[in-house]
Amino acid sequence: MTVAFVLSGGASLGAVQVGMAKALESEDIRPDLIIGTSVGAINGGWLAGGGGADELEHIWRSLRRSDLFPMRPVHGLRAFTGRAPNLVPNARLRRLLTRHLRFARLEDAAVPLTVVAADAQSGREVLLREGPAIDSILASAALPAVFPPVLVGERLLIDGGVVNNTPISTAIDSGATEVWVLSTGYSCGLPAPPTTAVSMAMHAVALLVQQRLVLETRSRTYAVPVHLVPPPCPISVTPTDFSHTDELIDRAEAGTRQWLGNGRPHALPLLPDAHARVHHHDHHPN
């Protein structure tokens, strides 16, 4: 049995993956390989270092918005006037990764790690399994217009969520015989639309990738068991809001424990206009 964890993007909602990982680990469900996109690549990198869910939790409970999204008016103005390619610099995220990542190169991870990015020029999916770990993860999390693209080797790369936010097929192609999908979900219960450009951009991307996940899992039959761990819903915070990290971790852990204990009966949370359609979390071959 080769167990893969697939971790999707979702910015601050990556806290949800922490609670899921804690609950899975408590049932001795651990990955033999990890596939991550965007914040899923960040979490995947920390998990692949061998520290486990407790270390991941410790990192997340100390995070603040400024650690990932330091808003600098001058930099934002330069981006708005076309003199910079992004709204937010990635220097603080680089420092955060440098402080907590346990390996310098992807191939040195304790658990095999694949990081999903996209070629900024061709738009093609790029799977990174070797090379500089920090640059690779930064590239996977480089949401266009928000963070700068990252040069890895000879390719300029951007956020992998653009091409494959939840790379289930990548895990299967990598040899997984059982896949656990740790999706961040999306802000399905906002009391009002986001009020900042970055928040609105992140929310819009989350809606797009959630719809893609729903459509993909609805239309495909996988050759191996694929378990889609249900994220909390409603989530009433945007993907740039780190003030509810503790709540998201706790809700995700409790919800995942209940889901596991009940035999995984719940339905995949869909977009608001599709809640009446139910699709089960476990997809098995016919």
Side-chain angles (χ1 to χ4, degrees):
M1 180 74 71
T2 301
V3 175
F5 278 11
V6 172
L7 294 92
S8 70
S12 67
L13 305 188
V16 166
Q17 294 171 338
V18 181
M20 292 175 174
K22 286 188 65 183
L24 293 173
E25 190 173 286
S26 72
E27 296 295 323
D28 203 29
I29 301 170
R30 304 170 189 269
D32 299 304
L33 56 94
I34 297 171
I35 320 292
T37 302
S38 199
V39 76
I42 297 173
N43 283 339
W46 286 331
L47 286 173
D54 285 343
E55 181 173 307
L56 185 63
E57 179 184 23
H58 174 74
I59 296 170
W60 268 91
R61 289 195 188 274
S62 66
L63 282 181
R64 298 294 179 265
R65 174 184 170 131
S66 59
D67 291 322
L68 274 78
F69 297 100
M71 301 306 296
R72 297 177 180 173
V74 173
H75 190 98
L77 180 61
R78 291 182 67 243
F80 182 76
T81 57
R83 290 179 291 168
N86 59 285
L87 292 166
V88 181
N90 67 5
R92 290 196 180 182
L93 178 54
R94 180 180 289 276
R95 286 199 295 271
L96 184 70
L97 290 169
T98 301
R99 188 160 63 246
H100 295 291
L101 205 61
R102 293 188 173 199
F103 48 91
R105 297 184 63 81
L106 293 177
E107 61 266 34
D108 295 331
V111 179
L113 173 66
T114 298
V115 171
V116 181
D119 188 297
Q121 185 171 356
S122 69
R124 293 175 181 169
E125 180 179 6
V126 178
L127 302 178
L128 301 169
R129 298 185 174 96
E130 298 179 347
I134 291 176
D135 284 346
S136 298
I137 293 171
L138 281 174
S140 181
L143 186 70
V146 178
F147 288 118
V150 178
L151 189 66
V152 179
E154 297 181 353
R155 292 178 295 195
L156 195 64
L157 303 180
I158 58 175
D159 195 304
V162 171
V163 290
N164 198 353
N165 193 60
T166 313
I168 298 170
S169 58
T170 303
I172 297 172
D173 292 343
S174 300
T177 57
E178 184 174 29
V179 178
W180 294 81
V181 179
L182 283 66
S183 167
T184 62
Y186 70 107
S187 303
C188 51
L190 290 179
T195 57
T196 68
V198 173
S199 294
M200 181 59 82
M202 298 293 293
H203 180 57
V205 169
L207 290 174
L208 286 171
V209 298
Q210 179 71 11
Q211 179 72 344
R212 174 173 175 168
L213 174 61
V214 169
L215 293 174
E216 179 180 350
T217 54
R218 179 188 303 163
S219 62
R220 293 195 58 176
T221 299
Y222 298 102
V224 305
V226 176
H227 312 289
L228 291 140
V229 184
C233 192
I235 292 177
S236 59
V237 297
T238 68
T240 58
D241 185 349
F242 285 80
S243 65
H244 295 265
T245 294
D246 292 346
E247 175 193 346
L248 290 175
I249 292 173
D250 294 341
R251 285 180 62 196
E253 181 179 5
T256 303
R257 287 180 183 274
Q258 181 179 12
W259 177 71
L260 290 168
N262 291 341
R264 306 188 293 273
H266 301 299
L268 180 67
L270 306 179
L271 293 173
D273 63 349
H275 276 161
R277 293 192 291 272
V278 174
H279 300 275
H280 290 288
H281 279 272
D282 291 298
H283 296 257
H284 298 278
N286 291 331

